[in-house]
Amino acid sequence: MKALKITIGILFAAVIIALSMTLFVKNELADMLNPFIPHKDVFVKIDQVGKKLDQSTYEYSLEGINEDGKKIKITFTASKQLREGAYLKVDTKRTYVKSWEEVQPNDMPTVAQKKLK
């Protein structure tokens, strides 16, 4: 009986911590681990040269458009300089960027196409 109470207490504390992370902590690691933050696609246009971090890593900080037409600032890295003028679909969880892929403009939602031209 005592073990059951301890287990329930630990689970309750874990839920409280996870909910607190959702509300108060906004960093890449917390967003990646938090199961309550949904994945969202953000569409960006490469309009600048990436900042070289080391021999094979470039950082991009861009303003993108999500599927609802809302502007979102995202930062992500690439292992090469990306082609200027390229459109990307970026899989995000708030500040965490899981992946990105180049897409054609007509593969993006209409609202993103219009705002990124």
Side-chain angles (χ1 to χ4, degrees), residues 97-111:
V97 173
K98 180 179 180 186
S99 64
W100 56 265
E101 66 176 311
E102 187 170 343
V103 294
Q104 297 302 314
N106 37 338
D107 292 336
M108 300 186 308
T110 306
V111 66

Side-chain angles (χ1 to χ4, degrees), residues 14-56:
V15 169
I16 295 298
I17 290 168
L19 287 174
S20 296
M21 285 177 58
T22 301
L23 298 174
F24 303 115
V25 177
K26 289 188 178 180
N27 70 40
E28 191 173 355
L29 179 62
D31 291 348
M32 177 181 69
L33 297 174
N34 192 326
F36 300 109
I37 298 173
H39 284 267
K40 293 191 177 190
D41 290 332
V42 176
F43 298 89
V44 298
K45 181 178 182 180
I46 303 299
D47 59 1
Q48 63 186 357
V49 176
K51 176 184 173 187
K52 190 170 187 172
L53 299 179
D54 60 37
Q55 289 289 21
S56 62

